[in-house]
Amino acid sequence: MPSDSPEQTASLPRFGFSTRIGFVLAAAGSAVGLGNIWSFPAQVAENGGAAFVLVYLVLSLLLAYPALVAELMIGRYGQSNPVTALESVPQNPAWRTVTKLTGIVAVLMICLIFSFYSIVGGWLAGFTLAPLFETTGMPSAASWLQTFSPTRNLLLAIIFIALTLGIVNGGVQKGIERWSARLMPLLVLLLVGLIFTVMTQEGAIEGVHHYLIPDFSRINETLIMNALGQSFFSMSLGVGAMMVYGSYLKRNANLPNVALQVCLLDTGIAFLAGLLIIPALFVAMNLGVSIYLPDGHLANNDTLVFEVLPALFNNLGVMGIPIALAFFSLMSIAALTSSISMLEVPVACLTERAGLSRKRASLIVCIGVLAIVAIVIAKFDPLFGAVVSLTTGYAQPIDGLLFCLFAGWLMGRNRKLQEIRKGWPEAEKSLFWKVWPWYIKIICPIMITSIFILQHQS
Ligand code: PHE
């Protein structure tokens, strides 16, 4: 039973990531996903360029980072799946029921995120395959892959889920850690290569200006709330993904330090993605591709990635084909390293709480997720947006807030300190330790709640 006595934790240490860098790459792999490469640049474009970037960076460091440390700490303290780890936080049995229920909600929410993610991940896989079909003389297959239809959506989602399943079945070290270590460097390489390519095109510099020179008059409640939702989504907070990875982290790893590395990698890659996409938008405009919707707004998420950018690639002649291939491979890799963390959460719960084997647990979860995917695809217009908004707009900030409150109020100062000291013996004397416990107890909850209330009033 967990108590405030220093040496006790919920259970014995278990098998996890083999190295610290393996953990950092896997956690950054979870963090870096469609949120960074798809939604962040689109939000920047829609919310007045650099002003959004600035607010996002501030919120990532001031709110998402302390929340990330709290989530990783609960996971490592619990040495188990998020439901059991959350259950081990309070000492009072009544509170245990509350924390356990929050954990169950988080697991259900991450399954919903996995379902909409698989649909988009499938589209990306389709857009990656399309240039290959195009060059091998199968243009009709290429165009089928790029045209919206329920059959295509379902088939590609199945492929995406199967890829995720294949990796997660390999286990923490041989699946998640190994594939994150392979895919993350490739992702950075593709991203940097594409930035250089786009920068040589006419119009790109105008995009860089739009991206980097802030117009402060654009900052309002909606922009702040969007930036908060974006930073929680991007850092995979509030749904147990970081908690389960934290449970696989070695005891001697310095939690605040590895969390900072993950946070910097995540925001750094989002920043680079913006540096690719915003200038690419302006290059497209320069080539005569319309980047505005009929209502006068800038192209939104789906039109941006699935219409504007492909139109840009088409306009680039032969060069367009390898560029399209590189771009959509980049997006698919980013999606895959995130989806494996989504599947790992329910799988860890089922293996540890229901005693199922990893293979059986992951198959059961994937079948369940596929059923949700089929329903969302069948009623795409009302359901897709609703699932995205429920999970990312409500569940993640609210659950993230609850995790901060649990770590802040239900886990004694002594237990928190012991957990942090395992990888950082001098932690007690640090500025971090002077600020962080109060921060997650009071400041983070007040700030998240106020932003939430502001948004829902306006
Ligand atoms: N962080 C991922 C992204 O930016 C999404 C994600 C959310 C992953 C929740 C895991 C859990 O795309």
Side-chain angles (χ1 to χ4, degrees):
M1 185 198 285
S3 78
D4 243 332
S5 76
E7 294 315 324
Q8 274 177 308
T9 46
S11 58
L12 292 171
R14 63 201 185 133
F15 190 67
F17 293 114
S18 62
T19 59
R20 210 195 52 179
I21 180 76
F23 162 81
V24 171
L25 287 176
S30 165
V32 174
L34 301 180
N36 304 59
I37 302 175
W38 190 41
S39 139
F40 175 75
Q43 297 241 28
V44 172
E46 244 167 50
N47 288 300
F52 182 86
V53 180
L54 213 69
V55 176
Y56 173 79
L57 291 179
V58 170
L59 291 183
S60 295
L61 283 175
L62 291 190
L63 282 179
Y65 168 67
L68 174 63
V69 179
E71 210 173 314
L72 290 174
M73 182 197 64
I74 295 178
R76 197 178 65 174
Y77 169 77
Q79 291 289 303
S80 54
N81 65 84
V83 175
T84 310
L86 279 164
E87 206 181 0
S88 74
V89 166
Q91 291 174 311
N92 166 333
W95 278 113
R96 287 214 173 137
T97 316
V98 175
T99 54
K100 178 176 155 185
L101 281 176
T102 313
I104 295 175
V105 171
V107 177
L108 294 175
M109 289 300 145
I110 207 165
C111 290
L112 281 182
I113 296 184
F114 185 28
S115 62
F116 83 72
Y117 220 81
S118 308
I119 300 178
V120 181
W123 295 341
L124 293 168
F127 273 73
T128 311
L129 295 174
L132 299 175
F133 281 107
E134 194 88 50
T135 42
T136 46
M138 286 185 269
S140 56
S143 105
W144 183 80
L145 284 171
Q146 291 170 299
T147 314
F148 193 95
S149 77
T151 332
R152 174 207 71 157
N153 291 349
L154 190 62
L155 189 80
L156 290 176
I158 293 175
I159 294 178
F160 186 81
I161 292 176
L163 285 173
T164 311
L165 180 74
I167 296 181
V168 170
N169 269 346
V172 178
Q173 277 183 14
K174 298 218 169 82
I176 299 174
E177 184 173 354
R178 178 183 289 173
W179 278 97
S180 303
R182 284 179 186 160
L183 294 175
M184 287 306 284
L186 183 61
L187 179 140
V188 175
L189 216 69
L190 284 170
L191 186 56
V192 173
L194 281 163
I195 293 175
F196 278 111
T197 317
V198 166
M199 287 303 165
T200 58
Q201 306 287 321
E202 216 164 307
I205 297 305
E206 208 184 316
V208 175
H209 284 168
H210 181 78
Y211 187 50
L212 297 181
I213 301 175
D215 169 4
F216 292 108
S217 68
R218 297 292 300 262
I219 300 181
N220 57 25
E221 303 91 36
T222 315
L223 183 144
I224 297 177
M225 183 63 202
N226 287 344
L228 177 72
Q230 175 64 34
S231 68
F232 270 61
F233 180 69
S234 189
M235 239 146 343
S236 308
L237 293 175
V239 276
M242 288 302 177
M243 213 177 272
V244 81
Y245 277 11
S247 78
Y248 299 134
L249 180 58
K250 279 197 183 327
R251 283 268 164 84
N252 61 5
N254 178 335
L255 276 174
N257 194 338
V258 290
L260 189 64
Q261 291 175 24
V262 173
C263 173
L264 292 179
L265 271 173
D266 182 51
T267 31
I269 292 183
F271 184 78
L272 284 180
L275 206 53
L276 166 68
I277 309 271
I278 308 291
L281 262 181
F282 282 77
V283 173
M285 187 162 70
N286 203 46
L287 286 169
V289 178
S290 166
I291 63 170
Y292 292 97
L293 299 171
D295 64 5
H297 277 96
L298 211 54
N300 58 24
N301 281 358
D302 343 341
T303 32
L304 176 65
V305 170
F306 295 110
E307 284 170 32
V308 176
L309 292 180
L312 162 67
F313 301 145
N314 275 340
N315 267 316
L316 295 178
V318 264
M319 271 291 282
I321 293 180
I323 294 180
L325 185 65
F327 176 75
F328 284 107
S329 308
L330 164 76
M331 299 279 279
S332 308
I333 291 172
L336 198 59
T337 54
S338 297
S339 65
I340 53 182
S341 72
M342 296 171 195
L343 179 55
E344 182 60 22
V345 173
V347 166
C349 292
L350 285 180
T351 50
E352 291 169 12
R353 294 190 70 103
L356 299 183
S357 72
R358 175 170 276 272
K359 288 213 164 74
R360 179 167 291 202
S362 52
L363 192 65
I364 292 176
V365 176
C366 284
I367 292 173
V369 166
L370 204 56
I372 305 174
V373 165
I375 298 172
V376 174
I377 288 177
K379 291 257 171 297
F380 192 83
D381 277 340
L383 285 187
F384 186 81
V387 173
V388 174
S389 141
L390 169 73
T391 51
T392 65
Y394 292 87
Q396 283 194 282
I398 295 176
D399 264 4
L401 165 77
L402 289 175
F403 293 170
C404 283
L405 289 173
F406 295 162
W409 295 91
L410 301 179
M411 189 169 176
R413 210 178 147 81
N414 210 0
R415 272 193 289 153
K416 284 199 278 278
L417 181 60
Q418 289 310 324
E419 193 53 52
I420 306 255
R421 271 172 62 175
K422 283 181 188 146
W424 187 13
E426 323 76 66
E428 201 172 355
K429 289 185 234 97
S430 67
L431 178 65
F432 174 86
W433 182 251
K434 295 205 172 70
V435 177
W436 179 77
W438 290 106
Y439 210 85
I440 51 162
K441 241 175 154 162
I442 298 168
I443 317 273
C444 276
I446 294 183
M447 279 168 73
I448 299 173
T449 316
S450 340
I451 297 177
F452 210 76
I453 293 175
L454 267 180
Q455 158 76 4
H456 287 90
Q457 273 175 347
S458 59

